[in-house]
mmCIF file of all heavy atoms in Angstrom:
data_model
loop_
_atom_site.group_PDB
_atom_site.id
_atom_site.type_symbol
_atom_site.label_atom_id
_atom_site.label_comp_id
_atom_site.label_asym_id
_atom_site.label_seq_id
_atom_site.Cartn_x
_atom_site.Cartn_y
_atom_site.Cartn_z
ATOM 1 N N GLY A 61 42.788 9.525 -29.513
ATOM 2 C CA GLY A 61 41.862 8.541 -28.858
ATOM 3 C C GLY A 61 41.135 9.242 -27.698
ATOM 4 O O GLY A 61 40.663 8.503 -26.833
ATOM 5 N N ASP A 62 41.030 10.527 -27.632
ATOM 6 C CA ASP A 62 40.288 11.260 -26.626
ATOM 7 C C ASP A 62 38.820 10.837 -26.498
ATOM 8 O O ASP A 62 38.195 10.828 -25.536
ATOM 9 C CB ASP A 62 40.359 12.735 -26.718
ATOM 10 C CG ASP A 62 41.484 13.382 -25.929
ATOM 11 O OD1 ASP A 62 42.163 12.613 -25.202
ATOM 12 O OD2 ASP A 62 41.679 14.612 -26.012
ATOM 13 N N GLY A 63 38.324 10.416 -27.711
ATOM 14 C CA GLY A 63 36.922 9.948 -27.718
ATOM 15 C C GLY A 63 36.068 10.668 -28.748
ATOM 16 O O GLY A 63 36.540 11.486 -29.473
ATOM 17 N N LYS A 64 34.781 10.446 -28.640
ATOM 18 C CA LYS A 64 33.761 11.029 -29.535
ATOM 19 C C LYS A 64 32.481 11.242 -28.753
ATOM 20 O O LYS A 64 32.233 10.592 -27.712
ATOM 21 C CB LYS A 64 33.399 10.060 -30.705
ATOM 22 C CG LYS A 64 34.453 9.777 -31.647
ATOM 23 C CD LYS A 64 34.604 10.730 -32.786
ATOM 24 C CE LYS A 64 35.494 10.252 -33.904
ATOM 25 N NZ LYS A 64 36.818 10.480 -33.732
ATOM 26 N N VAL A 65 31.679 12.250 -29.290
ATOM 27 C CA VAL A 65 30.389 12.557 -28.639
ATOM 28 C C VAL A 65 29.383 12.525 -29.772
ATOM 29 O O VAL A 65 29.619 13.182 -30.831
ATOM 30 C CB VAL A 65 30.409 13.934 -27.904
ATOM 31 C CG1 VAL A 65 29.036 14.155 -27.351
ATOM 32 C CG2 VAL A 65 31.440 13.961 -26.842
ATOM 33 N N PHE A 66 28.335 11.812 -29.559
ATOM 34 C CA PHE A 66 27.272 11.773 -30.573
ATOM 35 C C PHE A 66 26.012 12.358 -30.004
ATOM 36 O O PHE A 66 25.660 12.195 -28.886
ATOM 37 C CB PHE A 66 26.979 10.290 -30.999
ATOM 38 C CG PHE A 66 28.208 9.484 -31.430
ATOM 39 C CD1 PHE A 66 28.973 8.797 -30.530
ATOM 40 C CD2 PHE A 66 28.551 9.543 -32.731
ATOM 41 C CE1 PHE A 66 30.051 8.134 -30.904
ATOM 42 C CE2 PHE A 66 29.778 8.903 -33.170
ATOM 43 C CZ PHE A 66 30.463 8.159 -32.249
ATOM 44 N N VAL A 67 25.299 13.121 -30.817
ATOM 45 C CA VAL A 67 24.047 13.777 -30.481
ATOM 46 C C VAL A 67 22.935 13.213 -31.336
ATOM 47 O O VAL A 67 23.088 13.336 -32.627
ATOM 48 C CB VAL A 67 24.111 15.308 -30.553
ATOM 49 C CG1 VAL A 67 22.853 15.919 -30.088
ATOM 50 C CG2 VAL A 67 25.311 15.825 -29.697
ATOM 51 N N VAL A 68 21.891 12.718 -30.709
ATOM 52 C CA VAL A 68 20.743 12.097 -31.438
ATOM 53 C C VAL A 68 19.501 12.685 -31.034
ATOM 54 O O VAL A 68 19.199 12.919 -29.802
ATOM 55 C CB VAL A 68 20.777 10.585 -31.261
ATOM 56 C CG1 VAL A 68 19.606 9.875 -32.011
ATOM 57 C CG2 VAL A 68 22.121 9.941 -31.583
ATOM 58 N N LYS A 69 18.611 13.054 -32.005
ATOM 59 C CA LYS A 69 17.286 13.533 -31.701
ATOM 60 C C LYS A 69 16.445 12.481 -31.001
ATOM 61 O O LYS A 69 16.473 11.296 -31.386
ATOM 62 C CB LYS A 69 16.596 14.044 -32.952
ATOM 63 C CG LYS A 69 15.305 14.774 -32.738
ATOM 64 C CD LYS A 69 14.658 15.150 -34.072
ATOM 65 C CE LYS A 69 14.498 16.649 -34.019
ATOM 66 N NZ LYS A 69 13.826 17.115 -35.237
ATOM 67 N N VAL A 70 15.776 12.889 -29.917
ATOM 68 C CA VAL A 70 14.884 11.925 -29.225
ATOM 69 C C VAL A 70 13.428 12.304 -29.444
ATOM 70 O O VAL A 70 13.021 13.486 -29.155
ATOM 71 C CB VAL A 70 15.158 11.978 -27.672
ATOM 72 C CG1 VAL A 70 14.094 11.089 -26.857
ATOM 73 C CG2 VAL A 70 16.584 11.510 -27.406
ATOM 74 N N ALA A 71 12.667 11.379 -29.941
ATOM 75 C CA ALA A 71 11.304 11.747 -30.323
ATOM 76 C C ALA A 71 10.397 11.832 -29.088
ATOM 77 O O ALA A 71 9.474 12.623 -29.027
ATOM 78 C CB ALA A 71 10.696 10.598 -31.329
ATOM 79 N N ASP A 72 10.650 10.985 -28.155
ATOM 80 C CA ASP A 72 9.718 10.927 -26.927
ATOM 81 C C ASP A 72 10.461 10.246 -25.821
ATOM 82 O O ASP A 72 11.428 9.433 -26.034
ATOM 83 C CB ASP A 72 8.458 10.271 -27.236
ATOM 84 C CG ASP A 72 7.279 10.623 -26.306
ATOM 85 O OD1 ASP A 72 7.561 11.447 -25.319
ATOM 86 O OD2 ASP A 72 6.236 10.087 -26.407
ATOM 87 N N VAL A 73 9.998 10.510 -24.574
ATOM 88 C CA VAL A 73 10.498 9.797 -23.409
ATOM 89 C C VAL A 73 9.233 9.502 -22.571
ATOM 90 O O VAL A 73 8.298 10.275 -22.434
ATOM 91 C CB VAL A 73 11.442 10.668 -22.591
ATOM 92 C CG1 VAL A 73 11.838 9.962 -21.323
ATOM 93 C CG2 VAL A 73 12.665 11.007 -23.423
ATOM 94 N N LEU A 74 9.191 8.255 -21.952
ATOM 95 C CA LEU A 74 8.199 7.923 -21.113
ATOM 96 C C LEU A 74 8.798 7.570 -19.736
ATOM 97 O O LEU A 74 9.591 6.604 -19.637
ATOM 98 C CB LEU A 74 7.361 6.705 -21.670
ATOM 99 C CG LEU A 74 6.393 6.045 -20.658
ATOM 100 C CD1 LEU A 74 5.248 6.922 -20.339
ATOM 101 C CD2 LEU A 74 5.864 4.832 -21.255
ATOM 102 N N ALA A 75 8.316 8.108 -18.645
ATOM 103 C CA ALA A 75 8.774 7.718 -17.307
ATOM 104 C C ALA A 75 7.771 6.639 -16.871
ATOM 105 O O ALA A 75 6.566 6.827 -16.770
ATOM 106 C CB ALA A 75 8.697 8.914 -16.318
ATOM 107 N N ILE A 76 8.346 5.514 -16.661
ATOM 108 C CA ILE A 76 7.521 4.292 -16.375
ATOM 109 C C ILE A 76 6.590 4.452 -15.173
ATOM 110 O O ILE A 76 5.492 4.202 -15.080
ATOM 111 C CB ILE A 76 8.409 3.024 -16.294
ATOM 112 C CG1 ILE A 76 8.977 2.822 -17.669
ATOM 113 C CG2 ILE A 76 7.581 1.822 -15.788
ATOM 114 C CD1 ILE A 76 10.015 1.616 -17.701
ATOM 115 N N ARG A 77 7.335 4.949 -14.027
ATOM 116 C CA ARG A 77 6.591 5.076 -12.755
ATOM 117 C C ARG A 77 5.461 6.075 -12.873
ATOM 118 O O ARG A 77 4.326 5.841 -12.370
ATOM 119 C CB ARG A 77 7.491 5.399 -11.590
ATOM 120 C CG ARG A 77 6.812 5.504 -10.246
ATOM 121 C CD ARG A 77 7.785 5.860 -9.140
ATOM 122 N NE ARG A 77 8.438 7.102 -9.326
ATOM 123 C CZ ARG A 77 7.956 8.294 -8.960
ATOM 124 N NH1 ARG A 77 6.742 8.376 -8.420
ATOM 125 N NH2 ARG A 77 8.681 9.424 -9.207
ATOM 126 N N THR A 78 5.743 7.317 -13.350
ATOM 127 C CA THR A 78 4.771 8.380 -13.285
ATOM 128 C C THR A 78 3.898 8.469 -14.532
ATOM 129 O O THR A 78 2.801 9.156 -14.465
ATOM 130 C CB THR A 78 5.467 9.725 -13.108
ATOM 131 O OG1 THR A 78 6.228 9.971 -14.292
ATOM 132 C CG2 THR A 78 6.308 9.694 -11.896
ATOM 133 N N GLY A 79 4.306 7.977 -15.658
ATOM 134 C CA GLY A 79 3.635 8.065 -16.870
ATOM 135 C C GLY A 79 3.855 9.452 -17.573
ATOM 136 O O GLY A 79 3.262 9.691 -18.607
ATOM 137 N N LYS A 80 4.706 10.208 -17.009
ATOM 138 C CA LYS A 80 5.055 11.522 -17.645
ATOM 139 C C LYS A 80 5.814 11.320 -18.980
ATOM 140 O O LYS A 80 6.427 10.290 -19.120
ATOM 141 C CB LYS A 80 5.865 12.397 -16.749
ATOM 142 C CG LYS A 80 5.118 12.878 -15.536
ATOM 143 C CD LYS A 80 6.052 13.758 -14.647
ATOM 144 C CE LYS A 80 5.267 14.192 -13.449
ATOM 145 N NZ LYS A 80 6.082 15.122 -12.604
ATOM 146 N N ARG A 81 5.630 12.236 -19.943
ATOM 147 C CA ARG A 81 6.208 12.093 -21.191
ATOM 148 C C ARG A 81 6.986 13.361 -21.568
ATOM 149 O O ARG A 81 6.813 14.434 -21.000
ATOM 150 C CB ARG A 81 5.122 11.944 -22.304
ATOM 151 C CG ARG A 81 4.116 10.790 -21.915
ATOM 152 C CD ARG A 81 4.124 9.474 -22.658
ATOM 153 N NE ARG A 81 4.673 9.395 -23.920
ATOM 154 C CZ ARG A 81 4.010 8.778 -24.929
ATOM 155 N NH1 ARG A 81 2.788 8.324 -24.742
ATOM 156 N NH2 ARG A 81 4.621 8.482 -26.069
ATOM 157 N N GLY A 82 7.920 13.218 -22.585
ATOM 158 C CA GLY A 82 8.685 14.366 -23.019
ATOM 159 C C GLY A 82 9.627 14.931 -22.045
ATOM 160 O O GLY A 82 10.172 14.183 -21.187
ATOM 161 N N ASN A 83 9.813 16.257 -22.103
ATOM 162 C CA ASN A 83 10.746 16.938 -21.158
ATOM 163 C C ASN A 83 10.382 16.683 -19.638
ATOM 164 O O ASN A 83 11.277 16.601 -18.930
ATOM 165 C CB ASN A 83 10.747 18.457 -21.489
ATOM 166 C CG ASN A 83 11.578 18.761 -22.592
ATOM 167 O OD1 ASN A 83 12.547 18.183 -22.921
ATOM 168 N ND2 ASN A 83 11.250 19.846 -23.310
ATOM 169 N N GLU A 84 9.066 16.528 -19.365
ATOM 170 C CA GLU A 84 8.668 16.248 -18.025
ATOM 171 C C GLU A 84 9.165 14.903 -17.504
ATOM 172 O O GLU A 84 9.376 14.667 -16.288
ATOM 173 C CB GLU A 84 7.162 16.262 -17.828
ATOM 174 C CG GLU A 84 6.590 17.643 -17.984
ATOM 175 C CD GLU A 84 5.053 17.646 -17.774
ATOM 176 O OE1 GLU A 84 4.581 16.664 -17.268
ATOM 177 O OE2 GLU A 84 4.465 18.672 -18.103
ATOM 178 N N ALA A 85 9.447 13.953 -18.465
ATOM 179 C CA ALA A 85 9.917 12.623 -18.050
ATOM 180 C C ALA A 85 11.424 12.553 -17.842
ATOM 181 O O ALA A 85 11.882 11.593 -17.226
ATOM 182 C CB ALA A 85 9.503 11.610 -19.129
ATOM 183 N N ILE A 86 12.113 13.534 -18.354
ATOM 184 C CA ILE A 86 13.612 13.516 -18.140
ATOM 185 C C ILE A 86 13.966 14.352 -16.977
ATOM 186 O O ILE A 86 14.828 14.262 -16.286
ATOM 187 C CB ILE A 86 14.408 13.935 -19.379
ATOM 188 C CG1 ILE A 86 14.092 15.330 -19.789
ATOM 189 C CG2 ILE A 86 14.189 12.875 -20.448
ATOM 190 C CD1 ILE A 86 14.948 15.808 -20.906
#
């Protein structure tokens, strides 16, 4: 029961305050 880790592809990210997208938004 140590746990699990899941990796999921992310298509896009949007930073609400700045409007930046993708890697710049994270």
